[in-house]
Amino acid sequence: MTRDNSAGGKPSVIIIGGGIAGLAAGCYAQMSGMDTRILEKHVLPGGCCTAWSREGYIFDYCIEWLIGTAPGNEANQVWRELGALDGKAITNFEMFNRVVDENEREVTFYNDPDRLQQHLLEISPADAQLIKSFCRDLRRFLRLDLFPFLKPPPLKTLPEKLDVLRKVLPAFFLFWRTSATQMDDFTAKFRDPLLRRALPNVFFQDHECFPLLPYLYNMACAYHGNAGFPQGGSLGLARSVESRYTELGGEISYRARVERVLVEDDRAVGVELKNGDRLYADHVISACDGNTTIYRFLDGKYTSPAIDELYTEMLGKPGVVYPSMVSAFVGVDGDLSPEAPHSTTYLLSEQDSAVLPCVLQDSLVVQLRSRYWPGCAPPGKSLFHCTYFSEFGYWRELRTRNRREYWSEKRKVAEFVRAFLEKRYPGVGGRIEVVDVATPTTNHRYTGNHNGSILGWMGFTEADDLATALVEKQRMRLPGLAGFSMAGQWVSGGGLIKAAASGRFVTQYLCEELGIPFQAWESTGGQAWRPDMLGHLPQLDVRPMQLTEEA
């Protein structure tokens, strides 16, 4: 886009970032009659919602469950409008996760509250009152239908607000009580040490500051098949939305690294790329890292005390930003037993935690990803994804100071995972064909997310509350700057459906500003999904991970 390119009178929009939020904003802006261009620094769409490949294995980085996979709710409508699930089968599981402690005691978190209650009571009859309370609340959540992803609250009409109240009021006390009860406080009352430690890991890792509400909400979604795994996985989701965007007439440029937002008379007029090119538009939407956007792209000129508190002070506080993660993908020749669970969180012993480099929560999540989507492994083979929360600063310092030592620590991760899997799946160690380790610095290099964070602000924290208040007050804009908006996880909070909804919301606000109708309709793409739709899959590191023979 140049200054003279008015696209036939259509409002022109530049979108920084080709993650799910940026792609969604592009789709909705195109549907609403705008002319858009997305600028993405990587060679793939999706941001963190991505995958890469080695030796025929597809390393799916992001989706563990996706809210909105079942029809009949607002989350699913957003995905249908974006074409994200076109032609795809959905995999659903009867359990959310399994947790195993150091003594091989285990608990399975079934989505069915009746089955869950029976199972938990068998483990600890002494905790019957707490178990029945949790499962009773889960049954109540099964009856709810609250998916607020179609319109931001400030734009809702009075009848729409009254309709929300009609749905919320009968369950108000349930929402209040489960959001006011921290999971850690709830589990502290359990007598059984396994249940006390396992419940916070329903979502694979301990989210620490979460109350009961999100656990119950997501397990209820999973019970209804509304938290499944789409065929094609993370990159498949991103590719489908990218396809929808280009079919709507949008343009996306890869390897396009933005250096700054161009501003004239307190109005954003375009962007300057790293190569010096300048692109102009009537409006700019930033759907990338919030701190980078505000303090680098815009030199910190358009802030407020609240914004400065959120994007500077809060970023340094413990427990308000999701930690970064180490991922180890392990490709194995042969199939595993059908009884092998799709996901298990192992609570590590002190000895194991001392060996695994920079593990934050003394736990390791082991997921059999080939059970989620068979296409991620070659026929007759299996793929594990092993993850744990880790410290970005540790890996950044290593990679900056001593690249050889950095690779040595990655090798330690690979060797630990190989030995760990061999212990739990005898014979697997000798059948491993490939191991690929991604650290928090890998995430940072390819997405630009602050400290390699996987989801931005943690929900149910003071940062999350402040971000929500700013969105409703500023309408996803910055004070004193016209022609500019923000979307994505640093604005709306983490999670793919929230990212997609933020793209819808930012377009609705822009349509209101421009005085044009917001338009959205469902994709009609019905072509069955094929693995080749993933397109070219890069290798993030050219050097393969080498394991020692004794590992």
Side-chain angles (χ1 to χ4, degrees), residues 272-489:
E272 182 177 310
L273 304 183
K274 185 177 181 180
N275 64 7
D277 288 351
R278 291 189 169 194
L279 306 175
Y280 295 91
D282 300 319
H283 199 94
V284 176
I285 297 174
S286 179
C288 62
D289 182 72
N291 182 273
T292 299
T293 296
I294 295 168
Y295 299 102
R296 200 180 89 198
F297 293 167
L298 291 164
D299 297 322
K301 294 179 179 178
Y302 300 95
T303 68
S304 66
I307 290 173
D308 286 334
E309 179 185 2
L310 180 63
Y311 286 100
T312 56
E313 294 177 28
M314 291 288 183
L315 282 179
K317 284 189 175 182
V320 297
V321 175
Y322 273 97
S324 48
M325 188 172 69
V326 172
S327 288
F329 292 95
V330 183
V332 177
D333 184 24
D335 294 322
L336 272 75
S337 166
E339 285 74 37
H342 76 282
S343 179
T344 302
T345 298
Y346 291 95
L347 306 177
L348 301 177
S349 65
E350 290 184 9
Q351 293 85 348
D352 281 340
S353 292
V355 176
L356 189 58
C358 195
V359 56
L360 288 184
Q361 293 187 345
D362 298 330
S363 64
L364 179 72
V365 181
V366 177
Q367 296 180 335
L368 186 53
R369 297 299 279 190
S370 46
R371 194 66 55 78
Y372 289 67
W373 172 48
C376 69
K381 301 180 187 295
S382 304
L383 179 65
F384 287 99
H385 185 200
C386 305
T387 60
Y388 63 92
F389 283 155
S390 192
E391 174 63 49
F392 173 77
Y394 173 84
W395 296 97
R396 178 182 57 184
E397 191 273 337
L398 267 183
R399 192 173 188 275
T400 302
R401 175 177 53 83
N402 188 325
R403 194 67 61 88
R404 180 171 295 182
E405 189 174 343
Y406 170 77
W407 272 92
S408 175
E409 288 296 276
K410 290 182 67 171
R411 195 174 300 110
K412 285 182 183 178
V413 174
E415 292 175 347
F416 178 92
V417 166
R418 180 178 182 175
F420 196 86
L421 292 177
E422 172 64 25
K423 181 179 178 181
R424 281 146 187 86
Y425 301 91
V428 159
R431 294 189 282 124
I432 291 176
E433 297 185 326
V434 61
V435 179
D436 199 281
V437 176
T439 73
T441 62
T442 311
N443 181 310
H444 182 262
R445 280 159 49 210
Y446 287 96
T447 70
N449 274 343
H450 178 78
N451 284 0
S453 174
I454 56 172
L455 286 170
W457 307 118
M458 270 200 169
F460 304 94
T461 64
E462 54 184 331
D464 183 49
D465 292 341
L466 183 54
T468 300
L470 283 171
V471 167
E472 296 198 3
K473 179 180 180 181
Q474 301 290 345
R475 301 198 170 196
M476 304 176 85
R477 303 184 183 102
L478 293 176
L481 180 62
F484 185 83
S485 304
M486 292 176 64
Q489 65 181 17

Side-chain angles (χ1 to χ4, degrees), residues 31 100 156 265 295 390 525:
M31 284 188 268
V100 178
K156 288 185 176 179
D265 298 324
Y295 299 102
S390 192

